[in-house]
Amino acid sequence: MTAVIEAEHLSKWYGQVSGLNDVTVAVPSGITGLLGPNGAGKSTFMKLVTGQLRPSTGTVRVCGDPIWGNPAQYFRLGFCPEQDAFYERMTGLEWVTALARLHGLSPDAADAAARRALETVDLLEAADRKIGAYSKGMRQRVKLAQAIAHDPALLILDEPLSGLDPIMRRRTIRLIKDWGCAGKSILVSSHILHEIEAMTSNILLMHNGRILAEGNVYQIRALIDEHPHTVSIRVGDPRALARRLLTDEDVSSLRFEPGVVVVETPRPDAFYSRLTQLAASGEGGTIEEVTSPDDNLQAVFTYLVKT
Amino acid sequence: MSSGQPAAGSGQQPAAGSGQSFVRSTMRIFDLSLGEMLWARRTIFMALIVAAPVFLAVVSRIVSANGTAVLRINGERVGGGGIFGVMIWILYLKFIIPALGVFYGTSLIADEVEDKTITYLFTRPIPRRSIVMGKYLAYVACAASVVLPSVMIVFMLMVPFGEIGRSFGPLLGDLGIIAIGLAVYGAVFLLAGVMLKRPLVAGLVFAFGWEPIALLLPGYLKHFTIAYYLQALMPQAMPADDTLSLLQAVVRDVPSATVSLLWLLFALVIALILAMRAVESREYILEQ
Amino acid sequence: MPIHDQGYRHYAGQRARHGRAWWVIARAGVLERLRERRFLALLLFAWSPFVVRAVQAYLASTFPQASFLAPDVQTFRAFLDQQRVFVFFVTIYAGSGLIANDLRANALQLYLSRPITRVEYIAGKLLTLLIFLVAVTWLPAVLLVVLQVMFTGDTVFVTSHPYLIPAITLACALQVCVAACAMLAVSSLSRSRRFVAMLYAGIVLFTAAMDQALRLITGSRAWAWVSPQDTLAVLIDATFGMSTEPAVPVLVAVVLVAALIAVSIAVLARRVRAVEVVA
């Protein structure tokens, strides 16, 4: 796949603080998830990619050309920033139209493009209301509308799902996937793994201003799976279940908590498969809940940092 | 949300590598900013300020109708035309124009940065300098459209009907000076707004601290003020009824109108160029 | 193996008595401002008239030829008048964001969801500004009196002007209270620190310009009431016993200043709320 964004030895310092540290990465076309905890450097990377910040060292190229000081690049780039900032007195339609006009569109073309974009994000009905009166979800969607109004080839979306309710979250994920299917390249950031997984299998993991891993989310999961995985099972008779679990080699250690068995397994796939069979057979008592503290992003990072 | 196709705007992208022209993008920013500015609460504040001279003109008219006007300029009693000149100097050129310059000029870019809306402008295919120029022109248009009518109203109230025809030339001159003042102060404080972290305090110190003091000092220090050149363009005599005015009269040396205009133009152009260069090269780290 | 509790630990130390929160707020505000070099530079610059006056006092007490420089009551009145400009800038610098910044960050809810009353919050913010304003008015003025005594080596100056220090204290109290209350009220009206600064500066400068213009047009000083600064000057003159022919009657000036403070407090009472109820 061709790379839409290329960074080479890219670093950014804010005075004494390092925001991004010697990042070399090529973001392919299609949807790419930029994943990392707060403070990982996602927003800094996005600001460098969108030409809002100048690299301290290294280079960043978008579609083959540098972005800093190169406004023509914004014809093919749409950016949805994280911050909840608007011209509150304008209506959604006025705002999206005005920004579309800055792309060189005539008044009529800008109006039509704005209406299309607002329709795409399901906001056409509220287009004539002032942005100041919009709900959080509507504000998030109008931000998306301004990013897509000029039909860019590359979309950069900084935490587009933050503040959305579950239904709107699902709709937005679907929308992003549809844009990806329509041939757009999208770089979308989040600090929640399952949100990104729902959009794409191609991810960039960031931590402490560095790229920790890149590529297919399943490969990264496989990498994680090589490490002992912790599974917590709430069950009626923990001791009976523990006896059953200890019969196989896929359990490396086991401990008890009130009503819970906590298992460490080096082969989670095999373990989960066996656990399913045990649950179905009813041996070891009724399993009420299975959770894995390792499913959260921080655990993934902890594993990868240790690697 | 309508799933499926993204907003399809076919043919909206000019050939890669060609940004929009400076003039065209400046006009777009001008359109966007003027609308925002005209309805901002700051404009209401500005309208209140420029309403004050109108109120004063009414008071003055009432006072002169009662025959109790005692305004003297250099010892001579003056009528409505003279009072109009004094108001142009004391209220407009010494207060309203610098104040509007400070309040608007410093906030043209700083407001967008503080409100974090600058991102939307910086990620458009327009040169950053056009954002500065467009906003600056919107300020000049907005300020002029509020201030100049106020001057006209004051003129109509102050100058006797019979003298209006004769005074119309000087009125145009006053309007021109005020427009120049708005433009120059705006440009200088725009520069302060993009360069300094606390531009408002610096602007107030310059306009209401440095300028009045420098005008009282002998030598070249007064050359580093805007008021010095604006004052030189004033056709009316200045009132000299207090100590400061007398002191100012003593140290006053008046450059010619041409020299003043050239210096003001120079200050305006340099300030705008520096402001545009600063915005082009500056990174704005928005507080999260 | 001893297992350590990793959970939340409640504060087990001593707690300040209720009603002391204003001091915490004021202390935090003062320390935050003092971290800014530009502000420190402004404070230092505000002491430059003091240096000039101190040198003047030194010369007058050391060299008989310079005795005409000897300070009198008028000197202190003029000194406080000079400090007016610094009061203006310090008020704008240190005061404009006091409440506006909290409104912007929705921090009022955080403050008022703790055992802090609105009065304590306002008192804390007010004290922040008052500390700086006192530092550029009362402190240098009183220090000048002390220096004068030290330079002359006797207490004749103080004993012959027994009302001087009370007059300085009262004048400074008026000056700083009016500025601080007005600024705090304006700061509660907007979420933008810059707009607050603009509004405050506009009010002060605009009223002064109006006063000046009205005086010129009508030839009467009676318009001083238009400008809070000039009204305050009438009161300060009276405090120093110099108000032989005040621009406005002292009683009127007292009423106007009291009204200004009352309006400021009313605005604060209305605006400083944890939750804004929209009807």
Side-chain angles (χ1 to χ4, degrees), chain A:
Chain A
M1 274 193 278
T2 49
V4 285
I5 299 167
E6 297 158 285
E8 277 184 38
H9 301 293
L10 186 63
S11 297
K12 183 67 196 174
W13 298 296
Y14 302 106
Q16 302 282 320
V17 180
S18 168
L20 206 65
N21 193 356
D22 195 26
V23 165
T24 298
V25 71
V27 179
S29 54
I31 305 177
T32 303
L34 185 60
L35 204 53
N38 291 329
K42 302 188 299 289
S43 288
T44 299
F45 183 67
M46 290 202 148
K47 282 176 183 155
L48 285 160
V49 166
T50 52
Q52 296 176 75
L53 296 178
R54 180 173 26 201
S56 301
T57 60
T59 57
V60 58
R61 288 175 170 270
V62 176
C63 304
D65 293 317
I67 180 95
W68 172 259
N70 187 5
Q73 281 279 48
Y74 297 110
F75 280 121
R76 47 192 173 195
L77 192 150
F79 178 53
C80 173
E82 184 187 5
Q83 69 262 20
D84 184 52
F86 301 91
Y87 298 132
E88 305 276 350
R89 275 182 292 270
M90 291 177 103
T91 66
L93 180 63
E94 283 169 353
W95 186 59
V96 179
T97 306
L99 294 179
R101 290 267 287 140
L102 296 177
H103 284 268
L105 304 188
S106 66
D108 289 344
D111 182 71
R115 284 178 190 280
R116 270 197 305 271
L118 288 166
E119 191 180 7
T120 306
V121 298
D122 249 7
L123 210 59
L124 198 53
E125 277 184 21
D128 293 322
R129 273 165 56 188
K130 289 206 178 347
I131 297 176
Y134 278 5
S135 68
K136 172 79 182 167
M138 292 161 93
R139 290 161 80 89
Q140 200 70 5
R141 280 185 281 155
V142 80
K143 265 198 302 192
L144 284 170
Q146 63 80 30
I148 60 168
H150 56 285
D151 193 16
L154 170 64
L155 276 169
I156 313 274
L157 312 176
D158 197 355
E159 304 272 1
L161 304 179
S162 72
L164 295 182
D165 61 46
I167 296 168
M168 199 48 71
R169 215 170 260 249
R170 209 168 58 223
R171 285 187 187 176
T172 308
I173 289 171
R174 189 149 154 213
L175 196 65
I176 292 170
K177 285 170 85 172
D178 288 341
W179 290 338
C181 290
K184 293 197 181 303
S185 294
I186 302 169
L187 178 66
V188 54
S189 77
S190 176
H191 58 276
I192 300 169
L193 182 60
H194 69 83
E195 279 183 0
I196 293 288
E197 272 186 307
M199 289 182 232
T200 178
S201 59
N202 187 36
I203 63 167
L204 277 177
L205 268 175
M206 290 194 77
H207 190 54
N208 283 342
R210 288 175 181 270
I211 299 285
L212 211 55
E214 62 175 299
N216 191 293
V217 69
Y218 304 113
Q219 290 170 348
I220 292 167
R221 272 207 174 271
L223 192 68
I224 295 163
D225 288 347
E226 290 170 12
H227 297 268
H229 208 81
T230 308
V231 182
S232 174
I233 307 157
R234 181 172 294 280
V235 62
D237 185 356
R239 296 202 171 269
L241 180 67
R243 272 196 301 276
R244 296 293 308 163
L245 291 175
L246 282 171
T247 57
D248 212 328
E249 287 179 354
D250 56 14
V251 173
S252 58
S253 75
L254 187 147
R255 69 174 191 275
F256 293 104
E257 286 174 10
V260 172
V261 187
V262 180
V263 175
E264 271 207 345
T265 169
R267 299 207 303 272
D269 291 344
F271 174 79
Y272 278 120
S273 162
R274 197 155 67 90
L275 188 65
T276 312
Q277 286 169 9
L278 278 173
S281 67
E283 292 177 58
T286 309
I287 295 173
E288 296 166 10
E289 186 185 68
V290 179
T291 54
S292 171
D294 291 349
D295 276 347
N296 67 55
L297 194 56
Q298 194 55 51
V300 174
F301 286 122
T302 312
Y303 280 135
L304 290 170
V305 171
K306 280 184 194 163
T307 310

Side-chain angles (χ1 to χ4, degrees), chain B residues 89 92-95 97-98 177 181 184-185 188-189 206-208 210-216 221-234 238 248 252-255 260 264 267:
Chain B
W89 174 241
Y92 285 97
L93 289 177
K94 272 179 78 178
F95 170 68
I97 306 305
I177 294 166
V184 180
Y185 275 114
V188 169
F189 294 127
F206 179 84
F208 300 104
W210 166 250
E211 287 217 318
I213 292 171
L215 285 179
L216 299 176
L221 284 176
K222 64 173 88 63
H223 291 232
F224 298 100
T225 65
I226 296 165
Y228 171 66
Y229 301 105
L230 282 179
Q231 195 176 333
L233 298 175
M234 279 292 295
M238 294 298 110
Q248 198 173 323
R252 195 177 183 205
D253 66 288
V254 185
S260 296
L264 289 170

Side-chain angles (χ1 to χ4, degrees), chain C residues 174 231-239 242-258:
Chain C
L174 280 170
T231 310
L232 203 56
V234 169
L235 278 187
I236 294 175
D237 279 344
T239 309
M242 292 175 177
S243 196
T244 48
E245 208 179 304
V248 287
V250 174
L251 193 64
V252 174
V254 169
V255 170
L256 285 172
V257 167

Side-chain angles (χ1 to χ4, degrees), chain B residues 92-136:
Chain B
Y92 285 97
L93 289 177
K94 272 179 78 178
F95 170 68
I96 292 176
I97 306 305
L100 292 185
V102 174
F103 295 166
Y104 272 85
T106 55
S107 60
L108 283 176
I109 296 293
D111 259 7
E112 297 269 359
V113 175
E114 192 176 283
D115 295 342
K116 298 175 195 165
T117 48
I118 195 82
T119 307
Y120 299 113
L121 301 180
F122 280 176
T123 51
R124 305 289 145 188
I126 51 174
R128 285 187 178 192
R129 60 181 181 279
S130 68
I131 298 172
V132 178
M133 184 54 97
K135 285 192 157 287
Y136 170 74

Side-chain angles (χ1 to χ4, degrees), chain B residues 237-259:
Chain B
M238 294 298 110
D241 66 329
D242 59 4
T243 323
L244 286 183
S245 307
L246 286 170
L247 195 57
Q248 198 173 323
V250 171
V251 297
R252 195 177 183 205
D253 66 288
V254 185
S256 72
T258 314
V259 169

